């Protein structure tokens, strides 16, 4: 029974501290990093992208992930696709 409770806790912690999650170190407020790996078999279990020292969950503040706005009109205006014309294809065949 105790083993199941420990496994449930580790599963919940693994979901909370998943790779790609943005975190802030409590000792250095304002320093934002990204979780590279969570390994429950390691002590401490959390590895950060820009920090060579593994961390405990108590040392980190979780930050909300940014949600990308795919439907924003300004992002659609920036995308430019090349124009392909049938006349361009026939010209390449003639030159070849």
């Amino acid at each position: 029974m105790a083993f199941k409770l420990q496994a449930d806790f580790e599963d919940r912690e693994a979901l909370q501290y998943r790779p790609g999650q943005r975190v802030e170190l409590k000792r250095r407020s304002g320093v934002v990093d990204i979780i590279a790996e969570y390994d429950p078999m390691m002590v401490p279990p959390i590895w950060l992208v820009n920090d060579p020292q593994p961390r405990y969950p108590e040392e980190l503040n979780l930050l909300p992930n940014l949600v990308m706005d795919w439907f924003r009109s300004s992002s659609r205006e920036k995308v430019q696709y090349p124009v392909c014309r049938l006349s361009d294809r026939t010209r390449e065949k003639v030159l070849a």
Side-chain angles (χ1 to χ4, degrees), residues 30-50:
V31 176
V32 177
D33 208 338
I34 298 171
I35 295 176
E37 182 180 355
Y38 175 86
D39 188 358
M41 302 308 281
M42 297 292 292
V43 177
I46 301 170
W47 291 86
L48 302 176
V49 172
N50 296 316

Side-chain angles (χ1 to χ4, degrees), residues 12-78:
R12 279 185 277 138
E13 192 174 74
L15 286 174
Q16 193 174 17
Y17 294 97
R18 65 191 177 279
Q21 175 68 41
R22 293 178 41 206
V23 293
E24 177 184 40
L25 292 170
K26 288 182 180 179
R27 297 176 80 196
R28 293 184 281 166
S29 85
V31 176
V32 177
D33 208 338
I34 298 171
I35 295 176
E37 182 180 355
Y38 175 86
D39 188 358
M41 302 308 281
M42 297 292 292
V43 177
I46 301 170
W47 291 86
L48 302 176
V49 172
N50 296 316
D51 193 0
Q53 179 181 354
R55 301 291 180 172
Y56 289 103
E58 302 86 43
E59 299 179 68
L60 304 172
N61 286 327
L62 292 174
L63 298 176
N65 281 337
L66 299 174
V67 177
M68 296 186 73
D69 188 4
W70 294 103
F71 301 108
R72 188 173 11 159
S73 62
S74 62
S75 64
R76 284 185 283 168
E77 293 170 359
K78 293 178 185 176

